[in-house]
Amino acid sequence: MSSLVLGIKMIDQFINFVIRPPRAEYDPDQYLWEKEFSLGGTKCKRQDLELTNSRGHTLRCSHYVPSSSREDTPLPCVIYCHGNSGCRADANEAVMVLLPSNITVFTLDFSGSGLSEGDYVSLGWHEKDDLKTVVSYLRNSNQVSRIGLWGRSMGAVTSLLYGAEDPSIAGMVLDSAFSNLFDLMMELVDVYKIRLPKFTVKVAVQYMRRIIQKKAKFNIMDLNCVKVSPKTFIPALFGHASGDKFIQPHHSDLILKCYAGDKNIIKFDGDHNSSRPQSYYDSVLVFFYNVLRPPPISSSYSSKLESYYSLGDVNSATGLDESFLYEIISGLRSACIDVASSSSAPPAPLTTKPTNELLSEAMPMIDTVYLFSFLLEFSSRCLVYPF
């Protein structure tokens, strides 16, 4: 009898792990970029706002734009979609990578996450509707031209599910998406060496499916990116850490294989929660520049950036003169050193914990060759194996 009680408790914990993970609690003025700041000599600002999703939940959002942007000159925008247990602070790195190239960044706390309303997360199912609310707002604002999506883990699944419904999205960066939730749950049984017969596990998963559908109003069997990929034609850049034991790299491989649009994948060292390498951020910037086509920047290193962007996808280039590439990147580093001195200090790393011990481990911000010559620590991420 005690083993049965223990089993039920484990199932209940896993249900909470899926739909009610630890929630990020943070002060936006402490853990996001400041309301006014500077990147590489470009003055920028953070505009906080609230939107209401289709279920009536208030979504807390931030839009990072150049301070000098004119209302009659729309700029492209990338919407950053955080992972499970994540929040808006996860987009701090995207701001560093994209904003100095005239690509604005919009980020939000999904319903049930961070400071937004809502009791449960749904690993992409309801989050895609939150994303629809954001896209509709941006298009109606008349201040945004092309729109791209950048999702990590749960955010990557959200982007895929939404992208299948909105072909007007210009491009997507998809970091560590799972192919379908059921297979992922079955894999985790092996990863964490849960010694139960597979039949017993399947029965438990079906029980969980019913409970989750009752509480969070979605069917875990519907979370299947392999089903939507064949009808999605948006250019996509996939990324996955080769050492990811939580969502294993073959999940991205499965999605990539059946994805209908232009696609490429970058594998890199690390695990599910590790910092991404510089080469990955380089490729992300080149990808978004090519699909969003932002207006030219006016700075001391704009010509070097244009040369770099024109290389397209470095990983697939043939006959590329590596010495030429090295010369360009070296020039970018030198130019960034010249302008970095005028940049304001980025958000301080999150060092305190709420009572439920959220935001427990700091994740380093990556040094971006275009923007800074120094390393940056930014807001902590809840590392309770976020999707």
Side-chain angles (χ1 to χ4, degrees), residues 14 21 92 132 139 141 169 171 176 223 225 231 249 251 289 325 333 376:
F14 200 85
N92 286 353
K132 182 178 182 179
R139 290 199 170 124
S141 72
I169 296 297
S176 308
L223 280 170
C225 294
K231 58 181 181 180
H251 281 269
Y289 186 88
L325 175 61
R333 290 187 185 277
L376 173 67

Side-chain angles (χ1 to χ4, degrees), residues 225-232 252-261 263:
C225 294
V226 173
K227 284 187 176 180
V228 301
S229 293
K231 58 181 181 180
T232 309
S252 284
D253 294 335
L254 287 170
I255 300 170
L256 185 78
K257 184 177 180 180
C258 60
Y259 192 81
K263 57 196 175 182

Side-chain angles (χ1 to χ4, degrees), residues 96-97 278 281-282 336 366-374:
M96 285 186 64
V97 173
Q278 177 60 50
Y281 288 103
D282 293 348
C336 290
I366 306 301
D367 168 28
T368 306
V369 296
Y370 317 113
L371 316 179
F372 291 107
S373 60
F374 57 87

Side-chain angles (χ1 to χ4, degrees), residues 21 34 36 46 60 66 172 187 193 197 207 219 250 259 287 295 357 360 364 372 382:
E34 296 178 357
E36 295 184 357
R46 185 188 97 223
R60 267 73 185 194
M172 301 189 295
E187 287 176 7
K193 297 180 173 57
Y207 167 78
N219 188 343
H250 71 82
Y259 192 81
F287 170 80
E357 295 188 350
S360 58
F372 291 107
C382 278

